[in-house]
Structures are given as C-alpha cells and as structure tokens.
Amino acid sequence: MRYPLEGIRVVDLTVVWSGPGATALLGDLGAEVIRIEGNNRLSRQASAKTTRAMVEHAGWHRNTYPDGDPEPRPYDRSAIFNWHARNKLAACMNLETPEGHEAALKLIAISDVLVENNTNRVLEKLGIGHESLLELNPRLIVARMPPMGMAGPMSNYLGYGPNFNSLVGIAAMDGYEGEDPDSAGENYHMDEAAPAGLAFAVLAGLWDRDRTGRGGLIEFAQAENVMQDIGEYFLDYQMRDRNPAVLGNTDPSLLQDAYRTAEDDRWVVISIRDDRDWTALGEVVGDADWLSLGGTRAQRQENSRKLRDGIAAWCADRPVDDIVTRLQAARVPATEVMSETRLLDDPHLAARDWFQERSHPAVGTYKYPGHPWRADGFDLAFGRALPAFGEDNEYVYKGLLGYSDEQYQDLVERRLVTQEQLA
C-alpha cells in the first residue's frame, strides 16, 4: 500500500523537539526524511553531550539514556531524540565547510520540502536563505519555524518553549492553585503544539504545489500557533479587563481536580460537568454530608474547595482501579494520572499496539511511542531501524547525489563526512 507522502523527500534541518516532531509526522506519512547533521557542532539536542560524570554528580538527564548511561556516543543514546527519529535517514554535512555547503545544495535541489526551526538568522548565515533556495529549486517548499515570526520588533528574540510560553501568556496561568504563575515548573507547550500544525502546513503547501507547479515559503510562527490555545483568555482580557487566575488542576466551569489515592503516589482526575454527573457521583460515594453542598452548578462553584476536599477524602481511602472503575461505570469522567511505567503496562494502549519496539545500533531494542493517529484507507510508516549519526552517508552522497567512490572516500578521509560527532 502506498503511503500518502511516498515519493516526497524532506530535508530536515531541525533541532530539539518542535521541528523534529514535525518531520517525524511527515515521515509517518511516508516521506523520505533526511536529517542533515554537522560533525562539528551539536545538531541533535542538549543532552547529546552529556557525560557519565554529569549524570553521577547532578543527575543530568539520567532517564534520557538507557540504564542512565550516556556513554559512549551520547548523541546516539538519547531516548528523546530516538523517539522522533523514526522513519528518518541521517547524513553528515557540515554546512560551514565548502564541501558540506555544496552537498546540502545538491540535496535541496532534488528535494520537495525543507524544514528548519533554528533562530531567525541561521539559514542566511549559512548561505541557504529561503530566497536563494527557491531560486535553486522553484518547486521547493521551505517551512521555517521562527518562534516570533520572520519580521517585526520581536522576530530576533532567542529562546525556546518556556521562554515564549511566558511571552504569550501561558505561564501567567500555569501553576498550582493559589500560588504564583509558573509555580509548577517549566511548560513546553509551544514545542508540543507545533509539530502537527507545521506538518499540516506542509501538506497544504504540497497540495498548492500540485495546483500551481510552484513551491514557496511557509512562515510558521510558533508563538502565534500556541496563542490560539488560550484565545478565550485574550478575549476575556480585552472585553472585561480581567487577567487569568492560576487554577492548577481546577476549571472555571467544571468541578475538577486531581486526587491522591490509597496507593503510593498514584492519583486520579475527576471532572463533574453537570447535574447528572453530580447525581451519579453521589450514588457512587453514598452517604456523605458534603454532597448536599453541590446540587447545582452555582453551589458547586461557590463550594468548590469544600466539595473537592470531600472527594479527596473519599479517594484517599480507595485504590485507583476501584475509583476509576466505579466512576466510569456511572459515566463520570475519571481516570488515573499515568506515570511512564504505568503507561507501558496500560491495557488500552497495549490493545492498540501503540508502543512499538525499535532498534538502534548504539542502544539496542526498546519500546517507543507510536503514531499519534490512525487512518482508514492507508497505513502509517514505521519501517526501518532508528538511525545512528551519519548512518546513511553513503546512500545520500553516492546514491542520491551521484558522488563517485573516490569523491566520497576523499570526504571520509578528510573527516568531512563521518559517523560520529567530533566536537
């Protein structure tokens, strides 16, 4: 069965999470995604230079690596990187050298899409700004992901998810109930919200190219993309001059919270949407004085703290499965707050074969998250093993770019093309 993007080649110049997550989704749809990675700089992510000493003394990213050990080749052993490296190829091209720059232009000339999420001036500094690339390949779709867009007074701001979440206002409401904003720690929502939006934009670009025969630029400002998730708060401020409260796990419309259970560090979340849910909760709980305080929505809003304290006391005496099973049977929204280890054992995810075993030459075989969606009528790709650094050099240089054996070997001998990061 053909994949939707079979025959589409994507050049991946992305880093960290939002960009690599987007190209992973394009790879899921069958595109040939080729990561260009330099041998002289960090092109994977911050944890790629982690040492045993850093882990032992500070616990730095311990859980990122198998058995907590980043060595050898930490850039190949990062679980976060390997998660979004599915369906990708990896080729070493140092764009700061004439040879790497030339190879990259040759690859871009025979590709359909280029995706990058670096700071606003990186492509231009490397001599591959989108205007010159579109002259080289008029059918190319260049997808750029600057956090604050490519123009305007904030376009050159530097940072990553938590910084721009603060700038657009997400951090103003992200914290524990009654505490200061951002009291719950860093929030990376911008990074997790961008991949699907960018992948959809590329699909739209490909559709438009089919109609017009031309590629073009996609300017995907990540901050603008994430602002839509809190649009009602912007309207609330504009219309009522009201800033959002820090609500923690609560909700302005629902009676909702997370509750500790009788089992060690296992929690449930319960939401009461309406009077029917409240009546059903009461039938499950039985005789409790506090139930009389929540018969109407207005009462539930007025007595929210007392009601949640009552639910918390009821949950504290019971195991997770008992709470969830009884409330779900009564059609009250309730479920466990799942830890990573609990997710691995979750029967629902197991029944859907969501976790997939993937192999990596420097790591071995582990379970990784699967596709975020399924579709009728076509499959999603989950083919080859995860790529080691530079694993596909020979295929890209000799198979796609037409380098002779002698030309390729010269680059290898001069360590311009390697299968390891040199610095």
Side-chain angles (χ1 to χ4, degrees):
M1 180 179 294
R2 278 181 60 86
Y3 298 117
L5 293 186
E6 190 169 330
I8 297 295
R9 180 174 296 123
V10 177
V11 176
D12 184 339
L13 283 172
T14 64
V15 293
V16 190
W17 181 358
S18 63
T23 52
L25 297 180
L26 297 175
D28 290 346
L29 293 169
E32 180 183 67
V33 180
I34 301 174
R35 283 190 58 85
I36 293 180
E37 302 183 308
N39 62 359
N40 69 327
R41 62 170 55 224
L42 188 62
S43 60
R44 296 212 162 182
Q45 60 193 82
S47 58
K49 286 190 174 181
T50 307
T51 64
R52 287 194 187 108
M54 293 168 66
V55 170
E56 291 170 359
H57 289 98
W60 177 258
H61 283 212
R62 178 184 302 276
N63 294 332
T64 297
Y65 302 98
D67 302 320
D69 188 358
E71 299 182 24
R73 299 174 68 94
Y75 45 85
D76 269 341
R77 293 176 60 80
S78 166
I80 299 174
F81 179 87
N82 289 336
W83 155 66
H84 59 58
R86 62 180 186 266
N87 299 314
K88 296 184 183 181
L89 309 177
C92 176
M93 293 179 189
N94 183 350
L95 298 179
E96 295 178 325
T97 67
E99 296 85 352
H101 189 269
E102 179 184 6
L105 290 179
K106 288 182 177 180
L107 178 60
I108 292 168
I110 60 171
S111 297
D112 301 280
V113 180
L114 181 143
V115 182
E116 67 92 20
N117 68 320
N118 300 276
T119 55
N120 213 8
R121 296 161 289 188
V122 167
L123 289 196
E124 283 69 24
K125 285 184 177 180
L126 293 172
I128 53 172
H130 65 266
E131 292 179 347
S132 63
L133 295 183
L134 292 172
E135 289 182 8
L136 171 71
N137 181 356
R139 287 179 55 81
L140 182 70
I141 296 165
V142 182
R144 306 189 66 172
M145 304 173 68
M148 299 297 292
M150 297 177 60
M154 299 182 183
S155 58
N156 288 322
Y157 280 18
L158 304 180
Y160 65 127
N163 307 117
F164 293 103
N165 284 342
S166 298
L167 191 149
V168 303
I170 289 177
M173 63 192 77
D174 180 42
Y176 293 111
E177 182 183 8
E179 297 187 16
D180 292 334
D182 212 19
S183 58
E186 291 185 338
N187 181 311
Y188 290 79
H189 184 54
M190 190 179 84
D191 293 82
E192 64 197 16
L198 189 281
F200 181 85
V202 169
L203 295 179
L206 290 169
W207 176 80
D208 185 66
R209 189 183 72 170
D210 286 344
R211 296 171 55 251
T212 66
R214 300 187 305 274
L217 170 68
I218 295 173
E219 180 186 351
F220 188 89
Q222 294 186 60
E224 290 181 1
N225 176 67
V226 79
M227 286 171 69
Q228 65 180 327
D229 293 346
I230 55 170
E232 67 270 30
Y233 294 100
F234 289 110
L235 293 175
D236 194 37
Y237 180 79
Q238 290 171 345
M239 299 177 69
R240 301 180 182 180
D241 196 28
R242 184 168 60 186
N243 282 311
V246 179
L247 299 177
N249 295 309
T250 68
D251 183 271
S253 301
L254 312 179
L255 181 66
Q256 173 178 284
D257 211 336
Y259 305 97
R260 188 187 297 274
T261 71
E263 298 176 71
D264 184 42
D265 201 24
R266 292 181 68 179
W267 298 66
V268 294
V269 285
I270 302 171
S271 297
I272 304 300
R273 300 165 294 186
D274 50 31
D275 292 349
R276 194 221 68 84
D277 284 350
W278 182 253
T279 300
L281 174 70
E283 292 173 354
V284 173
V285 170
D287 186 25
D289 293 340
W290 50 268
L291 287 169
S292 62
L293 301 175
T296 67
R297 178 179 177 182
Q299 287 179 315
R300 291 191 292 273
Q301 289 180 322
E302 180 182 356
N303 300 314
S304 173
R305 181 71 272 169
K306 292 179 180 179
L307 296 175
R308 287 184 286 125
D309 287 345
I311 297 172
W314 181 78
C315 289
D317 293 332
R318 289 165 174 80
V320 170
D321 290 343
D322 177 63
I323 297 169
V324 171
T325 299
R326 294 173 65 185
L327 290 179
Q328 288 186 358
R331 297 173 57 201
V332 174
T335 192
E336 180 181 355
V337 180
M338 301 289 249
S339 66
E340 290 90 341
T341 52
R342 289 284 292 149
L343 284 171
L344 284 169
D345 295 331
D346 182 60
H348 177 78
L349 294 177
R352 296 178 61 82
D353 296 321
W354 192 67
F355 284 106
Q356 296 284 324
E357 286 192 346
R358 310 300 297 159
S359 297
H360 187 289
V363 173
T365 301
Y366 285 88
K367 289 183 178 180
Y368 292 89
H371 299 121
W373 67 72
R374 291 188 177 186
D376 291 333
F378 63 86
D379 291 329
L380 296 173
F382 225 143
R384 53 165 287 158
L386 302 170
F389 182 88
E391 181 177 326
D392 302 289
N393 289 339
E394 194 160 355
Y395 164 73
V396 172
Y397 279 91
K398 296 166 67 173
L400 295 182
L401 305 184
Y403 282 58
S404 67
D405 292 342
E406 292 76 15
Q407 289 174 312
Y408 177 74
Q409 191 58 37
D410 175 64
L411 294 174
V412 172
E413 290 176 357
R414 289 193 287 151
R415 307 206 75 181
L416 295 171
V417 174
T418 71
Q419 288 189 289
E420 60 180 331
Q421 285 194 327
L422 304 180

PDB file of all heavy atoms in Angstrom, residues 55-72:
ATOM      1  N   VAL A  55      25.985  12.929  34.845  1.00  0.00           N
ATOM      2  CA  VAL A  55      24.878  12.143  35.371  1.00  0.00           C
ATOM      3  C   VAL A  55      25.132  11.786  36.833  1.00  0.00           C
ATOM      4  O   VAL A  55      24.247  11.901  37.695  1.00  0.00           O
ATOM      5  CB  VAL A  55      24.664  10.877  34.530  1.00  0.00           C
ATOM      6  CG1 VAL A  55      23.674   9.935  35.208  1.00  0.00           C
ATOM      7  CG2 VAL A  55      24.162  11.247  33.139  1.00  0.00           C
ATOM      8  N   GLU A  56      26.342  11.345  37.149  1.00  0.00           N
ATOM      9  CA  GLU A  56      26.663  10.897  38.501  1.00  0.00           C
ATOM     10  C   GLU A  56      26.611  12.037  39.513  1.00  0.00           C
ATOM     11  O   GLU A  56      26.160  11.856  40.648  1.00  0.00           O
ATOM     12  CB  GLU A  56      28.050  10.249  38.509  1.00  0.00           C
ATOM     13  CG  GLU A  56      28.076   8.909  37.763  1.00  0.00           C
ATOM     14  CD  GLU A  56      29.492   8.394  37.570  1.00  0.00           C
ATOM     15  OE1 GLU A  56      30.451   9.094  38.003  1.00  0.00           O
ATOM     16  OE2 GLU A  56      29.658   7.303  36.971  1.00  0.00           O
ATOM     17  N   HIS A  57      27.050  13.227  39.109  1.00  0.00           N
ATOM     18  CA  HIS A  57      27.141  14.326  40.063  1.00  0.00           C
ATOM     19  C   HIS A  57      25.868  15.168  40.137  1.00  0.00           C
ATOM     20  O   HIS A  57      25.566  15.739  41.189  1.00  0.00           O
ATOM     21  CB  HIS A  57      28.332  15.236  39.715  1.00  0.00           C
ATOM     22  CG  HIS A  57      29.655  14.597  39.984  1.00  0.00           C
ATOM     23  ND1 HIS A  57      30.410  13.993  38.996  1.00  0.00           N
ATOM     24  CD2 HIS A  57      30.347  14.433  41.128  1.00  0.00           C
ATOM     25  CE1 HIS A  57      31.524  13.502  39.521  1.00  0.00           C
ATOM     26  NE2 HIS A  57      31.505  13.752  40.814  1.00  0.00           N
ATOM     27  N   ALA A  58      25.146  15.265  39.044  1.00  0.00           N
ATOM     28  CA  ALA A  58      23.982  16.155  39.036  1.00  0.00           C
ATOM     29  C   ALA A  58      22.706  15.471  38.582  1.00  0.00           C
ATOM     30  O   ALA A  58      21.647  16.092  38.584  1.00  0.00           O
ATOM     31  CB  ALA A  58      24.268  17.364  38.146  1.00  0.00           C
ATOM     32  N   GLY A  59      22.788  14.218  38.177  1.00  0.00           N
ATOM     33  CA  GLY A  59      21.612  13.532  37.679  1.00  0.00           C
ATOM     34  C   GLY A  59      21.126  14.055  36.343  1.00  0.00           C
ATOM     35  O   GLY A  59      19.980  13.823  35.949  1.00  0.00           O
ATOM     36  N   TRP A  60      21.989  14.753  35.610  1.00  0.00           N
ATOM     37  CA  TRP A  60      21.600  15.433  34.383  1.00  0.00           C
ATOM     38  C   TRP A  60      21.040  14.447  33.352  1.00  0.00           C
ATOM     39  O   TRP A  60      21.724  13.587  32.851  1.00  0.00           O
ATOM     40  CB  TRP A  60      22.804  16.183  33.803  1.00  0.00           C
ATOM     41  CG  TRP A  60      22.551  16.862  32.494  1.00  0.00           C
ATOM     42  CD1 TRP A  60      22.932  16.430  31.264  1.00  0.00           C
ATOM     43  CD2 TRP A  60      21.863  18.092  32.291  1.00  0.00           C
ATOM     44  NE1 TRP A  60      22.535  17.308  30.290  1.00  0.00           N
ATOM     45  CE2 TRP A  60      21.868  18.345  30.896  1.00  0.00           C
ATOM     46  CE3 TRP A  60      21.235  18.996  33.133  1.00  0.00           C
ATOM     47  CZ2 TRP A  60      21.270  19.479  30.336  1.00  0.00           C
ATOM     48  CZ3 TRP A  60      20.652  20.115  32.568  1.00  0.00           C
ATOM     49  CH2 TRP A  60      20.677  20.346  31.199  1.00  0.00           C
ATOM     50  N   HIS A  61      19.742  14.557  33.091  1.00  0.00           N
ATOM     51  CA  HIS A  61      19.086  13.760  32.050  1.00  0.00           C
ATOM     52  C   HIS A  61      19.296  12.257  32.238  1.00  0.00           C
ATOM     53  O   HIS A  61      19.400  11.517  31.267  1.00  0.00           O
ATOM     54  CB  HIS A  61      19.591  14.176  30.660  1.00  0.00           C
ATOM     55  CG  HIS A  61      18.979  15.458  30.187  1.00  0.00           C
ATOM     56  ND1 HIS A  61      18.736  15.706  28.861  1.00  0.00           N
ATOM     57  CD2 HIS A  61      18.557  16.578  30.848  1.00  0.00           C
ATOM     58  CE1 HIS A  61      18.199  16.912  28.722  1.00  0.00           C
ATOM     59  NE2 HIS A  61      18.085  17.448  29.916  1.00  0.00           N
ATOM     60  N   ARG A  62      19.386  11.810  33.471  1.00  0.00           N
ATOM     61  CA  ARG A  62      19.654  10.405  33.728  1.00  0.00           C
ATOM     62  C   ARG A  62      18.675   9.495  32.982  1.00  0.00           C
ATOM     63  O   ARG A  62      19.070   8.516  32.353  1.00  0.00           O
ATOM     64  CB  ARG A  62      19.570  10.113  35.234  1.00  0.00           C
ATOM     65  CG  ARG A  62      19.802   8.648  35.582  1.00  0.00           C
ATOM     66  CD  ARG A  62      19.605   8.412  37.075  1.00  0.00           C
ATOM     67  NE  ARG A  62      20.495   9.242  37.875  1.00  0.00           N
ATOM     68  CZ  ARG A  62      21.743   8.925  38.170  1.00  0.00           C
ATOM     69  NH1 ARG A  62      22.254   7.777  37.717  1.00  0.00           N
ATOM     70  NH2 ARG A  62      22.478   9.716  38.914  1.00  0.00           N
ATOM     71  N   ASN A  63      17.398   9.819  33.054  1.00  0.00           N
ATOM     72  CA  ASN A  63      16.397   8.945  32.445  1.00  0.00           C
ATOM     73  C   ASN A  63      16.342   9.059  30.929  1.00  0.00           C
ATOM     74  O   ASN A  63      15.580   8.339  30.279  1.00  0.00           O
ATOM     75  CB  ASN A  63      15.020   9.246  33.026  1.00  0.00           C
ATOM     76  CG  ASN A  63      14.935   8.884  34.501  1.00  0.00           C
ATOM     77  OD1 ASN A  63      15.631   7.990  34.962  1.00  0.00           O
ATOM     78  ND2 ASN A  63      14.094   9.585  35.238  1.00  0.00           N
ATOM     79  N   THR A  64      17.126   9.963  30.361  1.00  0.00           N
ATOM     80  CA  THR A  64      17.165  10.099  28.909  1.00  0.00           C
ATOM     81  C   THR A  64      17.929   8.952  28.259  1.00  0.00           C
ATOM     82  O   THR A  64      17.711   8.643  27.089  1.00  0.00           O
ATOM     83  CB  THR A  64      17.835  11.440  28.532  1.00  0.00           C
ATOM     84  OG1 THR A  64      17.031  12.501  29.043  1.00  0.00           O
ATOM     85  CG2 THR A  64      17.966  11.606  27.028  1.00  0.00           C
ATOM     86  N   TYR A  65      18.810   8.308  29.028  1.00  0.00           N
ATOM     87  CA  TYR A  65      19.718   7.313  28.450  1.00  0.00           C
ATOM     88  C   TYR A  65      19.441   5.919  28.993  1.00  0.00           C
ATOM     89  O   TYR A  65      19.072   5.762  30.162  1.00  0.00           O
ATOM     90  CB  TYR A  65      21.168   7.696  28.752  1.00  0.00           C
ATOM     91  CG  TYR A  65      21.526   9.061  28.218  1.00  0.00           C
ATOM     92  CD1 TYR A  65      21.501  10.177  29.047  1.00  0.00           C
ATOM     93  CD2 TYR A  65      21.841   9.230  26.882  1.00  0.00           C
ATOM     94  CE1 TYR A  65      21.804  11.428  28.558  1.00  0.00           C
ATOM     95  CE2 TYR A  65      22.158  10.478  26.381  1.00  0.00           C
ATOM     96  CZ  TYR A  65      22.129  11.581  27.221  1.00  0.00           C
ATOM     97  OH  TYR A  65      22.426  12.817  26.723  1.00  0.00           O
ATOM     98  N   PRO A  66      19.624   4.887  28.175  1.00  0.00           N
ATOM     99  CA  PRO A  66      19.455   3.508  28.656  1.00  0.00           C
ATOM    100  C   PRO A  66      20.355   3.236  29.852  1.00  0.00           C
ATOM    101  O   PRO A  66      21.555   3.541  29.824  1.00  0.00           O
ATOM    102  CB  PRO A  66      19.867   2.661  27.440  1.00  0.00           C
ATOM    103  CG  PRO A  66      19.638   3.552  26.257  1.00  0.00           C
ATOM    104  CD  PRO A  66      19.957   4.940  26.736  1.00  0.00           C
ATOM    105  N   ASP A  67      19.759   2.701  30.905  1.00  0.00           N
ATOM    106  CA  ASP A  67      20.475   2.394  32.142  1.00  0.00           C
ATOM    107  C   ASP A  67      21.136   3.620  32.756  1.00  0.00           C
ATOM    108  O   ASP A  67      22.067   3.507  33.550  1.00  0.00           O
ATOM    109  CB  ASP A  67      21.538   1.306  31.899  1.00  0.00           C
ATOM    110  CG  ASP A  67      20.932   0.030  31.348  1.00  0.00           C
ATOM    111  OD1 ASP A  67      19.838  -0.347  31.810  1.00  0.00           O
ATOM    112  OD2 ASP A  67      21.532  -0.575  30.441  1.00  0.00           O
ATOM    113  N   GLY A  68      20.669   4.817  32.392  1.00  0.00           N
ATOM    114  CA  GLY A  68      21.228   6.046  32.929  1.00  0.00           C
ATOM    115  C   GLY A  68      22.637   6.345  32.466  1.00  0.00           C
ATOM    116  O   GLY A  68      23.316   7.190  33.046  1.00  0.00           O
ATOM    117  N   ASP A  69      23.107   5.684  31.415  1.00  0.00           N
ATOM    118  CA  ASP A  69      24.492   5.812  30.960  1.00  0.00           C
ATOM    119  C   ASP A  69      24.532   6.469  29.577  1.00  0.00           C
ATOM    120  O   ASP A  69      24.080   5.883  28.594  1.00  0.00           O
ATOM    121  CB  ASP A  69      25.145   4.433  30.893  1.00  0.00           C
ATOM    122  CG  ASP A  69      26.641   4.519  30.616  1.00  0.00           C
ATOM    123  OD1 ASP A  69      27.163   5.645  30.432  1.00  0.00           O
ATOM    124  OD2 ASP A  69      27.292   3.459  30.567  1.00  0.00           O
ATOM    125  N   PRO A  70      25.076   7.677  29.474  1.00  0.00           N
ATOM    126  CA  PRO A  70      25.121   8.347  28.179  1.00  0.00           C
ATOM    127  C   PRO A  70      26.273   7.896  27.274  1.00  0.00           C
ATOM    128  O   PRO A  70      26.281   8.255  26.084  1.00  0.00           O
ATOM    129  CB  PRO A  70      25.307   9.815  28.560  1.00  0.00           C
ATOM    130  CG  PRO A  70      26.063   9.763  29.847  1.00  0.00           C
ATOM    131  CD  PRO A  70      25.568   8.532  30.563  1.00  0.00           C
ATOM    132  N   GLU A  71      27.227   7.184  27.796  1.00  0.00           N
ATOM    133  CA  GLU A  71      28.418   6.854  27.013  1.00  0.00           C
ATOM    134  C   GLU A  71      28.421   5.385  26.591  1.00  0.00           C
ATOM    135  O   GLU A  71      27.857   4.531  27.280  1.00  0.00           O
ATOM    136  CB  GLU A  71      29.657   7.181  27.846  1.00  0.00           C
ATOM    137  CG  GLU A  71      29.757   8.660  28.214  1.00  0.00           C
ATOM    138  CD  GLU A  71      31.029   8.970  28.992  1.00  0.00           C
ATOM    139  OE1 GLU A  71      32.013   8.207  28.855  1.00  0.00           O
ATOM    140  OE2 GLU A  71      31.029   9.945  29.739  1.00  0.00           O
ATOM    141  N   PRO A  72      29.060   5.096  25.450  1.00  0.00           N
ATOM    142  CA  PRO A  72      29.660   6.049  24.504  1.00  0.00           C
ATOM    143  C   PRO A  72      28.598   6.630  23.571  1.00  0.00           C
ATOM    144  O   PRO A  72      27.456   6.197  23.584  1.00  0.00           O
ATOM    145  CB  PRO A  72      30.651   5.176  23.731  1.00  0.00           C
ATOM    146  CG  PRO A  72      29.984   3.824  23.720  1.00  0.00           C
ATOM    147  CD  PRO A  72      29.290   3.693  25.057  1.00  0.00           C
TER     148      PRO A  72
END
